[in-house]
Amino acid sequence: MFNVVIPARHASTRLPGKPLLDIAGKPMVVRVAEQASKSLAASVVIATDYSLIMQVAAEHGYLAVMTREDHSSGTDRIAEVVTQLGWADEMIVVNVQGDEPLISPALINDVAQMLAMDTQAVMATACHPVHDAHALHNPNIVKVVLNHKQQALYFSRAAIPYPRDTVYQQAIQAYRHIGIYAYRVGFLKQYATLATTTLEKVESLEQLRVLYHGYQIAVTVTDQAPATGVDTPEDLQAVRQLFTEN
């Protein structure tokens, strides 16, 4: 059994008030919650720092929890939620980003199951194969390298693994990281106490804090690239068009 928490911070540099932006008649955060509700999650909770998001969640029948405004990441916000709600340490929580209105319920299930199966890992996430050079070298696309246990060795915005010799260009599969995470509640409480690291600041990747401190992250591999999230006005228009068509 697992729960889903959707961090929904009101402030956004590129899209102010992003969780409340309309998508085919409903706020984006509600669209995300609807997708998460199609998974096997026992409950779906919206974690926010803004009273209007609390109100909107209640109007659509979703539980929302008010959290502090000063959290540096969605993971820190979720750590506050599990403490407020008193969830047991062994409970698995899936962090579904609040700007993913097309998130696959099956992917949510897969990430939760991956963590449940890997008792050595404190977190789980997902990735899919990279098939083109542009994606591999694009710093906006995060890559991950796995070990033989399907655990993360490293995440980077750089091209990893880098084929120094052309003969190895096709020898190993590169993977694009998908920004969805599962955690055990006990580790979430620990995460909030872990010191931030220069490594995570340099790459701007909070999951590197976990690896730096010696913990393991399990990674489920999917063949399908995830549907687009909403980071820009262009993304928003594309998602609105998809909802209108469907």
Side-chain angles (χ1 to χ4, degrees):
M1 185 172 69
F2 66 93
N3 296 326
V4 166
V5 179
I6 304 169
R9 186 173 65 95
H10 185 254
S12 173
T13 303
R14 287 180 287 187
L15 283 174
K18 184 161 61 169
L20 296 175
L21 293 174
D22 181 83
I23 297 178
K26 294 181 182 179
M28 177 156 57
V29 68
V30 172
R31 292 295 187 187
V32 177
E34 288 176 340
Q35 287 298 100
S37 295
K38 296 174 186 175
S39 74
L40 298 176
S43 67
V44 175
V45 180
I46 296 169
T48 188
D49 58 0
Y50 193 61
S51 59
L52 187 53
I53 295 176
M54 291 279 292
Q55 178 183 326
V56 164
E59 288 172 354
H60 289 84
Y62 291 102
L63 173 64
V65 174
M66 183 64 76
T67 58
R68 302 197 317 267
E69 295 182 3
D70 60 348
H71 288 301
S72 60
S73 70
T75 303
D76 292 306
R77 194 173 304 282
I78 293 174
E80 181 183 351
V81 169
V82 302
T83 300
Q84 283 196 44
L85 296 180
W87 285 346
D89 285 354
E90 63 272 15
M91 173 65 70
I92 290 176
V93 179
V94 179
N95 174 353
V96 174
Q97 305 291 345
D99 56 5
E100 297 279 352
L102 298 171
I103 186 73
S104 164
L107 182 61
I108 297 173
N109 295 336
D110 288 347
V111 172
Q113 183 180 23
M114 189 73 185
L115 182 56
M117 292 172 56
D118 190 336
T119 58
Q120 293 181 330
V122 296
M123 282 176 58
T125 188
C127 69
H128 70 87
V130 173
H131 296 298
D132 65 273
H134 173 74
L136 182 62
H137 294 277
N138 183 347
N140 294 316
I141 293 176
V142 178
K143 277 72 65 174
V144 59
V145 173
L146 310 179
N147 66 14
H148 73 286
K149 298 179 181 178
Q150 236 173 279
Q151 297 167 339
L153 289 173
Y154 190 64
F155 298 86
S156 183
R157 297 181 182 279
I160 57 171
Y162 182 80
R164 189 191 70 171
D165 299 320
T166 56
V167 67
Y168 292 116
Q169 285 182 348
Q170 304 299 323
I172 190 167
Q173 177 66 61
Y175 291 100
R176 176 180 182 172
H177 177 231
I178 303 170
I180 182 172
Y181 300 98
Y183 326 79
R184 290 187 180 86
V185 166
F187 176 70
L188 270 172
K189 295 173 182 176
Q190 288 180 265
Y191 180 90
T193 69
L194 295 178
T196 56
T197 70
T198 301
L199 193 61
E200 70 176 288
K201 292 177 182 177
V202 167
E203 291 263 22
S204 190
L205 297 173
E206 63 176 290
Q207 63 268 36
L208 291 177
R209 187 188 315 180
V210 178
L211 295 183
Y212 180 87
H213 286 283
Y215 296 99
Q216 293 169 323
I217 301 175
V219 186
T220 186
V221 180
T222 175
D223 292 334
Q224 301 297 319
T228 184
V230 179
D231 291 317
T232 66
E234 292 76 20
D235 293 338
L236 179 62
Q237 185 57 39
V239 169
R240 282 172 170 168
Q241 184 65 34
L242 285 170
F243 270 88
T244 300
E245 292 172 354
N246 295 327

